[in-house]
Amino acid sequence: RIKSGNAMDIRYLADNTEFIPRLAKLLHAEWDFLYPDATIQTRYDRLVSYCNRDRVPLSFVALDDGRLLGTYNIILSDIKKHPELSPWLASVYVVKEYRGRGIGTELVKHAMAQCGRLSIPRLYLWTDKQRDFYGSLGWKPLSHEPYQTIEVDIMYFEG
């Protein structure tokens, strides 16, 4: 549920592929500064490869009456210098006009619930701004280090 009281469904991107072009643009705009060689097409192709239901990588979308509210991915690797850490929660994103309504919290909780379904003992993420947010949901700090052009906290959740 969203704080406004509207119903929200979190569904597989594989069943809602019509959102891939918009998601590619939104995610590229949000994180393109970290990946100067990436393009919207790169992001689009990656999202297509995440259209699974029973294995990593996979992607989910939050919808309300056909409106895209947000998304997240579970992927095999997110920081190349840490191949020993896998899988990762990545690209947790809430569409700007829907922020502040608890959607991000629901997306992360949904991802955490996938750990049991997919037999994932430990899920990782990196964040540059939301350490306290993830900590409040049960994620634990692993390290603080440079990544691309920013400093990030690597965190984990044991499912």
Side-chain angles (χ1 to χ4, degrees):
R1 289 239 165 238
I2 307 168
K3 284 184 180 175
S4 67
N6 295 335
M8 177 179 73
D9 293 316
I10 299 176
R11 299 185 180 172
Y12 293 106
L13 180 60
D15 297 328
N16 296 274
T17 57
E18 69 273 17
F19 293 107
I20 293 176
R22 182 164 177 224
L23 283 171
K25 290 176 187 167
L26 290 169
L27 298 177
H28 182 74
E30 188 76 10
W31 289 292
D32 67 335
F33 72 98
L34 289 175
Y35 311 102
D37 296 334
T39 64
I40 292 172
Q41 186 64 47
T42 306
R43 183 71 72 167
Y44 179 95
D45 294 344
R46 196 172 304 135
L47 287 168
V48 168
S49 76
Y50 298 168
C51 286
N52 298 308
R53 293 177 191 84
D54 59 350
R55 69 186 190 284
V56 175
L58 71 164
S59 186
F60 291 88
V61 289
L63 304 172
D64 180 16
D65 197 26
R67 289 188 313 267
L68 177 66
L69 305 177
T71 189
Y72 78 85
N73 304 318
I74 297 177
I75 62 175
L76 291 172
S77 177
D78 204 15
I79 296 182
K80 288 181 182 167
K81 73 177 183 176
H82 287 295
E84 76 283 6
L85 305 179
S86 183
W88 292 74
L89 172 61
S91 301
V92 176
Y93 179 85
V94 176
V95 175
K96 285 188 171 127
E97 58 263 31
Y98 300 111
R99 292 180 183 171
R101 300 183 190 186
I103 296 166
T105 298
E106 293 306 312
L107 286 168
V108 174
K109 285 180 178 178
H110 189 270
M112 293 161 66
Q114 296 307 304
C115 290
R117 189 179 73 79
L118 296 167
S119 300
I120 296 171
R122 187 180 269 197
L123 187 61
Y124 299 89
L125 64 77
W126 66 259
T127 181
D128 61 330
K129 298 177 184 144
Q130 299 293 333
R131 179 182 175 160
D132 292 342
F133 166 72
Y134 288 107
S136 73
L137 295 173
W139 292 75
K140 297 177 179 135
L142 184 66
S143 68
H144 181 84
E145 58 190 70
Y147 174 62
Q148 308 288 62
T149 59
I150 58 175
E151 292 284 320
V152 301
D153 289 295
I154 296 178
M155 304 180 78
Y156 68 94
F157 171 76
E158 290 185 323

